[in-house]
Amino acid sequence: MPDHLRAKAWATPLAVFAVLAATLCGGAFVHLRAFQRETRERVDRELSALADVKVAQVVAWREHQVREWSDLLANSFAMEAIERVLAGDPEPRLRMQLLDLLEREGASAEADCVELRDGAGELVLATRSRPGDPDDLRLLRLSRERGAPVLSDLERDADGFVLAIARPAQVPGGEAGLIVRFDLQRSLTPIALWRPRHDSSTEALIARVSQREVVPLSLLPGASAGLSFPIEGTSAIARAARGETGVRASRDRYGREVLAAVRRVPGSTWVLAVKADAAELLAPAHDRTFQLGVAVVLLLLLGSGLLISWWRGQVAALRARHGELSARAARQRFDALWTQAHDIVLVLDSRGALVEVNDRAVAVYGRRREELIGTHVVGLRTPAAAAIWSSQWAQAWRDGHLVAEAEHRRADGSTFPIELSLQVVPVGEERFAFAVCRDVTERNRAARVAREHAALLANMTDAVMALDRAGVITAWAGSAERMYGWTAEEAVGRLAHELIRARFTGTTREAYWAEIERCGTARAETVQLRKGGTEIPVEITATALRDAAGRVVGAVGVNRDLTEQRRQEADRQRLQSELVFADRLASIGTLSAGVAHEINNPLSYLLANLDFVEQQLSGEGPALDRVSPSELVEALRESRDGARRIGEIVRGLRTFSRKDTAGARRGADVRTAADAAVRMAQAQARPRARLVTDLRETAPVSATEHELAQVVLNLVMNAIQAIPEGAPERNEVRVTSRVHPGGRVELTIGDTGSGIAPEHLSRIFDPFFTTKPVGEGSGLGLAICHGLVDGMGGVISVESELGRGTTFTLDLPPATAEQTELPLASPPGRRRGRILIVDDEPLVLSSIRRTLEPEHEVETLSDPRAAVERLAAGEHFDLVVCDLVMPELSGMDCYEELSRRRPDAARRMVFLTGGAFTPRSRAFLDQNPGRWMEKPFDPEALRTRVAAALAAA
């Protein structure tokens, strides 16, 4: 029987025994307590009754004495004899008779002595000579007054017991009378020592209460004379002295526990205590306790014996029941295993024929049970598996077991792989084979998938690694060895951050793990180390590994080397930049005729005015043609305006010819970029529409000036081309700008052209999509505009209506503080400085010298090498103004040379440039913002720039 059932079987008899024991013990306890209570009540009654008897005896003795001596006063002979003796009668015989009478009365009353005293208190006659007491006369006076005997203990607190009997009040002669003295111990001890049974420990004690102690009046057996008890003590007689009554538990003079009934003697200062040993009094209760204990133990032993016998019978029945249930459960389990087993179960005889099959076999093979029973097992196998059956059967019959794999057939001819576990089992005198056939189709498929996954993992281009929560590498697969150079044996077991030293971009390792725990996945870009120390950019995509409780215990990461992707991205950006630049140059080519027209107009009157001024100043013309100086000044002003106009056109061309550089995006002025684009398109717009601008002052936007100008130019040219020629006064192309409350800048380019069909609006920004005729458009202009605006962080949108025109809107973000260049402010007070001008063009040198010489000491050099040598030798100049592009030694070379040889002079250089045409020059200008000016420059702007540089130096 199992242990848990045996424990349950013990529970019932133990519970019954506990109830029986509790019942018996409880009943015995209740009975014993009742018996003890009754015994105590009986003892209390007996002691109280005995104490009452003792008190009554004491009171009766006292009253007897008073009565006896009162009778003496009524005796005429005695009274006559007393009177005669008191009167001084000398008759000896009379005195002897009276003395004899008093002795007899004293002996009868158990008095110690009897005295006759006169009115003065003097002793006249005594049965025994004793010293007198001064209080005797007071007692006699009191007796005379009351007309009755007086007991001394009722009136005073003195030793002994005195009875005073005075002559009647009507007899003259004063307070003469009899004084009867008693020995209380001799008188009261017999009363105290009397007890109902001689074998009892009962004792009584009569005592007198004084102020501080209780003095016994009766003797105790074995007690010495002079014994007293303190009134504050715990003895029974002390308790009686304090006024307690009833039965009290205490200890006697031997230290034994006693029960005592205490009483006060009425009409006196006497107290009485009757005590008996508690053990003697309660002996019946103790005997009853022992008897009940023996009875309970005997009953418990009898009950336990009966319970054990009953329990053994129950255990035997329980074992039989458990065996029956176990056998039934075993049969049920076997039946369940046989009928509901997921595996095929076959029973074969010694020939290999099927004796029994389970329900799973019927379902899998697709045959009825009757068809299967009696069939040889070979009939269930494929031909290939049947060919090896004989050897397998022989081995199984020889070894008693067999584990093998085979392929079986269903009734429909389909086959499936099995794993065979066969065991030969003897049943009586016969032997049978018990075979379990497990369909391993899914297992084989899972193994094949696992092999495929392993092959796929081994051929992945990404590295796969698994980490535990501490960051220790637990798996190293995929292209991890190729990517990092570490083998799996070298990597597994090491901390990942110590092996590959990943530096996270935009996050930390702790934040990355926190995201894995929170979201289950995480992605981050890092820079990691290969085995040789080479850094590679890596993108990590990690998935959490969780235990059965759902806690994150690690992660599996797929690490992708971004080196090739970054290179391809750089190539894509470079190609895109080339495409944008090519589109920009194509726009310039398209506008070249108009640009030439715009340059030729101011150039024609510029040259004519200069020729006119030269003739007037040289005196070569006829005298009649002489003009006033004011006309000459006007001609020069017109020439200057024409030159500035040409300079603005050239600056616009330079803006469009500038090539994009990485990281060159700074704050761009919307008005400047839009004006440059509008000027470039003026000639194209004249025969078609009016080109109107409403460009308000805005904050710089996050873009480069040439990118923004290219977008505006493309949109303006599209607007111009959407308007047919011939009616420019009725059409217009309008370019406007405004600032949103949030700081973003809105730039719109609208036209009154033909508009765009609604079905085309969703595709206009697609590359190579165009509605223009073949040969007039590539379909890249708007796609490039969309890409440039998106790169600026802005949004481009379009609204159009057929026959009414189109409006493009650019929503651009403002430039950040780092992107914005603060304009140069003219210092409040310009200081004079020593300035060196370096340029390979002598005319530029002379013009700059003439511009700066009124305010500064100026030296010019056309040889940059000579300038470098002079500066490197220590010659001091407050400022060096140097051309950026020169044939032999460029301004950039001069700056680098001086940075090595004389850094302080290099820091005081300002550069002039007519255009940055090489990547190096563009990068140099981007790295030195605020330290260069474009040619042509306004003289006042040059003076302001120089003054600001001197103030900052």
Side-chain angles (χ1 to χ4, degrees), residues 21 31 42 65 169 177 228 264 278 282 307 309 316 356 395 408 479 514 545 584 593 718 722 784 824 829 915:
H31 176 77
R42 178 180 56 78
Q65 297 300 328
S228 65
R264 275 189 172 273
L282 300 179
L307 282 174
S309 300
E356 187 59 78
Q395 179 185 351
H408 280 201
S479 296
L545 293 176
R584 196 181 304 150
N718 283 347
I784 291 174
L824 285 176

Side-chain angles (χ1 to χ4, degrees), residues 411-438:
D412 59 3
S414 60
T415 62
F416 59 95
I418 65 154
E419 181 184 64
L420 173 65
S421 296
L422 186 145
Q423 187 76 27
V424 178
V425 179
V427 179
E429 297 180 357
E430 297 186 56
R431 298 175 72 192
F432 293 91
F434 188 81
V436 178
C437 303
R438 175 164 296 176

